Amino acid sequence: MRDFSVLEHLAGQLNPLCRVLEMDPATPLDLLAGVLGPHGARSLADPPAWPSDIADDHSPIEFSVAFNDHEPPALRLLAEVPGGAQAGYDFLAGAAGRYGLAIARLDAVRDLFTADVPPGSFALWCSLVFRSGRRPEFKVYLNPEVAGVDRAPELVAEALGRLGLGDSYRTMLARSIRPGELGRRDRLSFFALDLHDGPQARVKLYLSHHDADAADAARAAAVVPGVDPAEVTAFCLAAGGPGRFDGRPLVGSYTLAGGARQPVGYSIYVPIRDYVDDDREARDRVAAVLARYGFGTALLHRCVAAVSRRPLAAGVGLIAHVSLRLGPPRPGVTVYLSAEAYQVTPPRSVWVPAA
Ligand code: TRP
């Protein structure tokens, strides 16, 4: 078989994804090459130079498709610039002028999130969002636990204080953490900033709920005005199935806005890959979820076909997460697709042909 490079593999998925979503692939492909840098030319036969935690197989990219209630779907790339945080900041500095990024808020907090990270962890991830006919939007994810799990709450408090968002953080912590579980089963996992100045520029704070059930997530969501906890429960059940989530954790994110005493938006992320046998089951569940929220499923099938390089029943994890976004700015459902550049996780159920 021909020996593909990292960039060839990922571009070979991004290009058809753009076509399916009726977007010009030129800018997305250009940014993909920029994120990868010299790493893009590496052969996939060699182990990843930088073992990113973005995906289970250490691919530095994860695709996602955001189905929106009131506008066409968006395409997103979650990316880690190989080589560590400094390489990531260099990439952003290069993109800042070209794409009009607003980095003042990042500059205001970045010193807090720049310890040397242990292997298997991260310091800086980027998300690139493409909407048809618009300039790409950038978002960064910082790691609240860079200086250790115990220091995460004070670090986030300091960062949000600097950004004038301390009030809604305190409300959120008081009502979303299970008693005594902060830094234990409830963890502050990501601190995300939009790199633009618009009225919708957001800070998002993510909580991972380990060993939780749908009711725990619903309780944690209830702090956000306008969010119906029953909807969160129903989504966890539909995407993840019944019972406790004792594999990868349920994750909730809170959108914080200046001047509000409570968070203004909430999303719940279900790591569906730990709760299905294979990707055919994941695909069927996600199709049912999309239908339930009024989205057609044909687009899902075409997006999955653009990314997958194998029969869906032959592995698990191509569909990594599915999330429900509630409240402003953009309600909808997002489906996360793994690049599987290096590896496919075998399915849990093995089909044995009859003798
Ligand atoms: N791969 C990591 C995980 O599964 C990080 C990650 C990538 C993630 N995409 C995500 C976490 C979407 C939550 C939601 O935890």
Side-chain angles (χ1 to χ4, degrees):
M1 206 175 92
R2 194 165 104 61
D3 182 16
F4 282 97
S5 72
V6 178
L7 179 59
E8 282 171 324
H9 178 95
L10 295 170
Q13 295 168 313
L14 183 56
N15 191 40
L17 259 183
C18 289
R19 307 264 177 219
V20 166
L21 295 167
E22 296 176 19
M23 292 177 190
D24 181 353
T27 302
L29 287 170
D30 199 45
L31 279 165
L32 172 67
V35 163
L36 297 175
H39 184 91
R42 282 177 68 92
S43 161
L44 284 177
D46 296 329
W50 182 261
S52 177
D53 189 36
I54 280 194
D56 297 347
D57 74 336
H58 302 310
S59 297
I61 296 281
E62 180 183 74
F63 303 102
S64 55
V65 179
F67 294 81
N68 298 311
D69 287 358
H70 309 298
E71 57 181 61
L75 170 62
R76 312 193 313 183
L77 295 183
L78 178 64
E80 180 166 17
V81 177
Q86 191 54 51
Y89 283 114
D90 291 347
F91 163 74
L92 288 174
R98 234 167 117 198
Y99 297 103
L101 309 188
I103 51 171
R105 294 185 313 153
L106 176 58
D107 283 343
V109 301
R110 93 179 234 199
D111 63 294
L112 296 168
F113 298 97
T114 47
D116 286 330
V117 294
S121 185
F122 82 100
L124 177 70
W125 287 351
C126 305
S127 153
L128 312 177
V129 186
F130 304 99
R131 304 177 203 281
S132 194
R134 303 246 293 271
R135 270 216 296 213
E137 290 159 35
F138 288 60
K139 182 160 129 182
V140 293
Y141 297 83
L142 303 166
N143 183 352
E145 297 184 342
V146 267
V149 176
D150 294 345
R151 293 206 46 209
E154 71 182 77
L155 221 123
V156 170
E158 170 66 21
L160 289 172
R162 290 183 190 178
L163 299 172
L165 297 168
D167 283 353
S168 47
Y169 175 54
R170 278 183 289 277
T171 316
M172 187 213 102
L173 276 192
R175 298 187 29 202
S176 299
I177 303 285
R178 289 169 285 179
E181 296 291 356
L182 182 58
R184 303 161 78 93
R185 293 191 303 164
D186 289 334
R187 307 255 299 257
L188 289 160
S189 39
F190 304 101
F191 182 98
L193 282 172
D194 284 343
L195 299 186
H196 61 82
D197 267 339
Q200 294 183 339
R202 300 163 301 171
V203 171
K204 278 172 82 177
L205 194 58
Y206 293 70
L207 276 181
S208 298
H209 304 291
H210 294 261
D211 196 29
D213 58 23
D216 293 321
R219 253 191 311 277
V223 65
V224 185
V227 167
D228 176 4
E231 197 165 345
V232 174
T233 311
F235 181 79
C236 292
L237 284 172
R244 294 194 85 69
F245 289 79
D246 53 5
R248 286 186 179 78
L250 290 175
V251 177
S253 77
Y254 295 83
T255 305
L256 308 183
R261 301 194 64 85
Q262 286 151 310
V264 297
Y266 180 81
S267 301
I268 177 79
Y269 306 77
V270 175
I272 186 170
R273 67 196 185 285
D274 271 16
Y275 303 96
V276 290
D277 284 341
D278 58 43
D279 278 301
R280 193 165 53 192
E281 189 181 358
R283 193 264 328 259
D284 291 346
R285 271 197 210 170
V286 169
V289 163
L290 285 172
R292 180 194 165 105
Y293 286 93
F295 298 108
T297 54
L299 197 63
L300 169 72
H301 299 310
R302 295 175 64 205
C303 290
V304 167
V307 174
S308 71
R309 294 288 177 269
R310 56 163 174 88
L312 289 181
V316 65
L318 178 82
I319 301 180
H321 305 263
V322 56
S323 74
L324 177 67
R325 289 171 279 121
L326 296 165
R330 283 190 189 82
V333 172
T334 306
V335 183
Y336 297 77
L337 300 171
S338 303
E340 298 188 331
Y342 290 101
Q343 218 172 301
V344 173
T345 305
R348 294 197 175 86
S349 61
V350 178
W351 180 74
V352 184

